Amino acid sequence: MKDSVSISYILSSYIVLTRTCCQNCSFCSFSKEEPLLSPEDLVRQLIRISENGATEVVFVSGENPSDFPHIMLQLATYGLSSFSEYVNMAIKKALELNLIPVLEIGYLNAVSLKSFCKSGCSIRVNLVASNLSQPEQALYEAKNRNPANGKAFVKALRENEIPYTLCFNIGIGETEEERLTFIQELADLCKDDPFLQDIKIVPFQPSQNCKMFDRPPLPFESVARVLEKTKEVFAGLHISVPPNLFSRYPELIERGLNDLGSLAIFSGDVFHPKFSVPNVENIKARLRNENVSIYERGTLSTQEVINRPEFYNIVASTRLIIEKHNQSIISLIDNNHCFVCGKKNPLGLNIPVKEYIKGNTVSFTWLPNENHQSYAGIVHGGILATLLDEAMGYAVMGEGITRRIVTLEYKLNYRHPTPVGLPLKVIASMGEKRHKVISAKGTIYSLDGTILVEATGKFYEIMNNS
């Protein structure tokens, strides 16, 4: 039997500030001229991410969006003089909501970089191992994306004492010798640097609308050799490969993978939207037979950074959240795809159940249609059971979602056939609490008051958020 191994991850989410970008990298499909995210929408997204238990938010934009007049005009309407000021506003809001902000906004000039010193953020540096500047190559239309400028930006981050992550983009046309040599060069440059927090290996995947769509991804052994080299020269650091971009990630653990990086479960991968980010329970299932367990970690890794005044309080706050998550027997993450209430689920019922919680009671109306039937004209009993399970569960979690729970058992009594095409009233309330087991009851009525279905249930409290 293999020895037990543990690898880490960060519960994270992206927020796209703007896709407007001065670069035109052929391996990327992110760039698109578009407006800035409004401060109001930014705050709404941050609140939702925080409420769902993430501890990190990654602010993403194109490079130098302020080179474009429409961005400068927008900044002026918000009363801001620069894109850096806008990003610092976002950083401040994130910190207020116990989210550690990470910037993935391209290579910054000296003036912009200075504005982020001691702001409480970390920065991701996307690196390439070869110039690839000839026609038809990946960086032919990119203005300043090359190995030399990548190294210069890393040096600037060190000089300004800003925490950072090295992100090696591989498989975009560089040779194996170039990529392994470049990793060694960065290791020499960053030797014993307390501001380097972790390493991310990003294997190319042909995303929709990128110019290199017909380029094949790297084979397994090529990625594995990168992991082995990175483990050799960056010993002791978290080294990750995004699990959504490399499905054989369990096999990489023996080759140096010790981290899964930032799992953007709430937003998905905004750079590769067709490559779904696996959820925590999916990853656990994949790794169980390999005798590998996973645990959540914080964004910042080195004590020199953690103990700095701008990070000390936020790290203490996020640690409490992470400890609760790691003590839980199951990962309960709301990624907005719940079959009943998830707004992002195109096949779901899309009932905004959270809006109908008052104290520990839930009440809402729902209109079933022919897609919800079993026999002609009769609502499927499984759908009704699902509605009652959802309503009772939210009654137990309560207004403000003060608990995280799972269903232990529930019993149903179908009193009358439930017709399709007529509104139903669903009501549920919490009952007794005995230790961590909480009872609830629920009823589905027709609008004339006829009881159609009754249910009782028991729910187990996994986590208390109050």
Side-chain angles (χ1 to χ4, degrees), residues 27 124-129 150-151 154 164-172 174 178-188 190 196 198-204 218 226-227 229-230 233-234 237 239-242 245:
F27 65 90
R124 285 184 184 173
V125 190
N126 281 290
L127 298 162
V128 294
K151 289 183 198 174
V154 172
Y164 63 95
T165 294
L166 298 180
C167 302
F168 292 103
N169 289 277
I170 62 172
I172 61 172
E174 80 285 352
E178 285 175 326
R179 74 176 73 104
L180 298 181
T181 299
F182 186 64
I183 290 170
Q184 180 67 63
E185 290 172 355
L186 265 294
D188 295 340
C190 301
L196 173 59
D198 53 3
I199 311 292
K200 182 180 179 182
I201 308 297
V202 187
F204 171 75
L218 286 175
V226 169
L227 261 293
K229 179 65 177 179
T230 308
V233 299
F234 288 103
L237 288 176
I239 303 170
S240 67
V241 172
L245 299 185

Side-chain angles (χ1 to χ4, degrees), residues 191-208:
K191 185 175 176 60
D192 300 323
D193 183 7
F195 297 99
L196 173 59
Q197 301 304 295
D198 53 3
I199 311 292
K200 182 180 179 182
I201 308 297
V202 187
F204 171 75
Q205 284 288 359
S207 295
Q208 191 176 23

Side-chain angles (χ1 to χ4, degrees), residues 6 19 243:
S6 294
R19 293 176 182 268

Side-chain angles (χ1 to χ4, degrees), residues 202-336:
V202 187
F204 171 75
Q205 284 288 359
S207 295
Q208 191 176 23
N209 300 325
C210 82
K211 295 179 182 177
M212 292 169 53
F213 187 78
D214 58 350
R215 182 179 182 82
L218 286 175
F220 175 84
E221 280 301 323
S222 294
V223 177
R225 285 192 287 272
V226 169
L227 261 293
E228 289 174 334
K229 179 65 177 179
T230 308
K231 179 183 178 182
E232 173 194 336
V233 299
F234 288 103
L237 288 176
H238 296 292
I239 303 170
S240 67
V241 172
N244 63 310
L245 299 185
F246 202 79
S247 63
R248 293 176 65 182
Y249 64 89
E251 300 170 60
L252 292 176
I253 294 171
E254 292 183 351
R255 310 293 285 269
L257 185 75
N258 61 12
D259 185 56
L260 297 172
S262 300
L263 295 181
I265 292 171
F266 307 109
S267 62
D269 187 338
V270 298
F271 297 99
H272 307 88
K274 297 297 184 183
F275 292 82
S276 298
V277 177
N279 60 62
V280 174
E281 293 303 316
N282 176 279
I283 292 170
K284 285 180 183 177
R286 289 282 314 270
L287 297 177
R288 194 170 293 129
N289 290 337
E290 306 294 326
N291 204 20
V292 177
S293 61
I294 64 173
Y295 66 95
E296 187 179 341
R297 68 173 177 91
T299 302
L300 304 174
S301 302
T302 61
Q303 284 304 127
E304 291 87 342
V305 170
I306 289 170
N307 291 333
R308 286 173 58 165
E310 65 267 31
F311 289 113
Y312 189 81
N313 289 334
I314 184 67
V315 169
S317 297
T318 55
R319 273 180 176 166
L320 293 175
I321 298 169
I322 290 168
E323 284 172 10
K324 278 189 175 183
H325 292 170
N326 283 332
Q327 290 168 6
S328 176
I329 59 175
I330 187 173
S331 175
L332 301 179
I333 296 171
D334 182 2
N335 66 351
N336 228 358

Side-chain angles (χ1 to χ4, degrees), residues 20-134:
T20 300
C21 183
C22 69
Q23 299 291 351
N24 195 13
C25 303
S26 296
F27 65 90
C28 176
S29 61
F30 175 79
S31 175
K32 182 175 70 173
E33 192 166 317
E34 68 176 19
L36 278 174
L37 184 68
S38 73
E40 295 78 15
D41 286 339
L42 173 65
V43 170
R44 275 194 287 270
Q45 289 192 40
L46 284 170
I47 290 172
R48 179 177 172 272
I49 293 165
S50 176
E51 287 177 345
N52 282 323
T55 58
E56 173 189 272
V57 59
V58 184
F59 294 119
V60 183
S61 78
E63 187 159 315
N64 295 332
S66 53
D67 287 355
F68 294 78
H70 74 280
I71 296 294
M72 292 306 295
L73 285 171
Q74 264 194 289
L75 289 169
T77 63
Y78 299 147
L80 303 170
S81 60
S82 68
F83 183 64
S84 297
E85 189 178 352
Y86 169 86
V87 176
N88 267 308
M89 174 270 295
I91 290 170
K92 182 179 178 182
K93 294 292 185 184
L95 292 170
E96 290 172 358
L97 290 164
N98 289 329
L99 293 165
I100 292 181
V102 176
L103 308 184
E104 192 164 351
I105 57 176
Y107 296 174
L108 303 170
N109 60 38
V111 174
S112 296
L113 200 57
K114 284 286 184 187
S115 72
F116 298 118
C117 293
K118 302 187 187 309
S119 67
C121 74
S122 180
I123 291 181
R124 285 184 184 173
V125 190
N126 281 290
L127 298 162
V128 294
S130 178
N131 287 318
L132 300 174
S133 56
Q134 298 301 310

